[in-house]
Amino acid sequence: MLDILIKDILPIFVIMFLGYWSGKSKAFSYENAQIFNKLVLNYALPAALFVSIVKADRSMLLGDLKLTIISFVIITAVFLWSYYSCYKFFKHTKSEAAVCALISGSPTIGFLGFAVLEPIYGATPSTALVVAIISIVVNAINIPIGLALMNAGNDKSKDTQGGKKSNPVLSALAEPVCWAPILAVILVLLDIKFPAILDPNFELIAKANSGVAVFAAGLTLSGMKFQMDKEVAYNAVVKLLIMPAVLLLIGWLFGMKSENLQMMVLAGALPPAFSGIIIGSRYQLYVRTGTSSLTFSIFAFIVAAPLWIWIARMVAG
């Protein structure tokens, strides 16, 4: 775990601090953060999602149906609960609640999935299977649902000619961050192999995704005061405790393979997905609470990670 914390978690703090310091020192402005977020949301993130998903194959998705079904049901259920609780209990708008769900209801599997799981469980097909399936759930299902909910609750989403609200689902599907992972899943399900020789065309811009996203999060945070309140704490509890706990309970009840169960639980305990912060910053929704939730959850993950590794091993035998 020390190796993981130094190699995988510490760089997040370092890059986020650089973004924060660049804002405080006036090297970059808050408006620059919006430009960085637009770069990530419209180009780098869609490319990263697409190229990571098409590397999976249909046999991987069908190879462990328990893993696929449980991951889909539980992660999506926690995602929707996060949306509902943010809207009902904390009295945010539906659009803000959608961004909240993208943060506290989604693990950052694309950024930290392999980085955290491989040192513990090895670079095995099982590791790749867990990361691929949860990546598809988060990126090809939760993100489109979140964008549709956000657009549905956005009173400004009107047709410029007729003055009528646009269809929230169609509006979400028009976003590159939505249709790119869906297209990748379709190719995988149809067993159409994306030519590996074309990967570099996507990977070059995709490599900018995580670094720029974390830097922009720090830059965004520099323009506002960090807040530690009951909502930030609640979001961390949902993400770091409730999601992995329910995954562990349901996976154990349905007799999942021991190692797959452990990896699924640890993947569910990962910090919030940066995509939620990017989307929130891009549309100026839930920015302060979302960024504070991400920051606090990253620190809390240092404690949550070894705890869930130990608990999952005990339960899985």
Side-chain angles (χ1 to χ4, degrees), residues 114-308:
F114 283 113
V116 172
L117 295 181
E118 281 190 350
I120 302 172
Y121 301 102
T124 66
S126 294
T127 304
L129 175 67
V130 172
V131 173
I133 289 176
I134 295 182
S135 293
I136 289 172
V137 172
V138 171
N139 299 320
I141 297 175
N142 284 4
I143 288 180
I145 292 175
L147 288 173
L149 291 172
M150 186 183 72
N151 289 331
N154 187 358
D155 292 333
K156 296 180 181 179
S157 62
K158 296 180 181 295
D159 185 5
T160 56
Q161 293 182 352
K164 297 179 180 180
K165 289 185 178 180
S166 59
N167 185 291
V169 177
L170 295 179
S171 297
L173 291 175
E175 298 287 344
V177 73
C178 182
W179 60 255
I182 292 177
L183 175 61
V185 171
I186 293 174
L187 293 177
V188 171
L189 292 176
L190 294 177
D191 206 22
I192 298 175
K193 302 297 182 182
F194 187 77
I197 197 172
L198 298 179
D199 284 355
N201 295 282
F202 295 89
E203 290 175 342
L204 188 60
I205 185 65
K207 288 176 181 177
N209 173 55
S210 299
V212 176
V214 177
F215 184 90
L219 180 56
T220 300
L221 190 61
S222 71
M224 56 190 64
K225 185 178 180 180
F226 174 82
Q227 62 178 36
M228 183 62 213
D229 55 27
K230 61 181 180 181
E231 185 174 356
V232 171
Y234 176 80
N235 288 341
V237 168
V238 170
K239 179 70 231 31
L240 302 179
L241 296 180
I242 293 179
M243 180 178 287
V246 178
L247 285 170
L248 178 60
L249 176 61
I250 301 302
W252 175 72
L253 288 175
F254 282 86
M256 277 187 62
K257 298 176 183 177
S258 173
E259 191 170 86
N260 281 2
L261 175 59
Q262 294 177 49
M263 288 191 288
M264 181 181 70
V265 170
L266 185 55
L270 290 173
F274 295 122
S275 53
I277 297 296
I278 296 167
I279 293 171
S281 298
R282 173 70 178 85
Y283 295 99
Q284 288 299 288
L285 292 168
Y286 203 70
V287 178
R288 175 183 288 186
T289 304
T291 305
S292 297
S293 297
L294 172 66
T295 305
F296 178 70
S297 294
I298 291 174
F299 279 104
F301 179 71
I302 297 175
V303 177
L307 175 66
W308 281 116

Side-chain angles (χ1 to χ4, degrees), residues 61-74 133 247 250-257 260 264:
L61 297 181
L62 302 178
D64 193 331
L65 287 177
K66 288 182 181 178
L67 171 63
T68 301
I69 294 172
I70 292 173
S71 298
F72 166 72
V73 172
I74 301 305
I133 289 176
L247 285 170
I250 301 302
W252 175 72
L253 288 175
F254 282 86
M256 277 187 62
K257 298 176 183 177
N260 281 2
M264 181 181 70

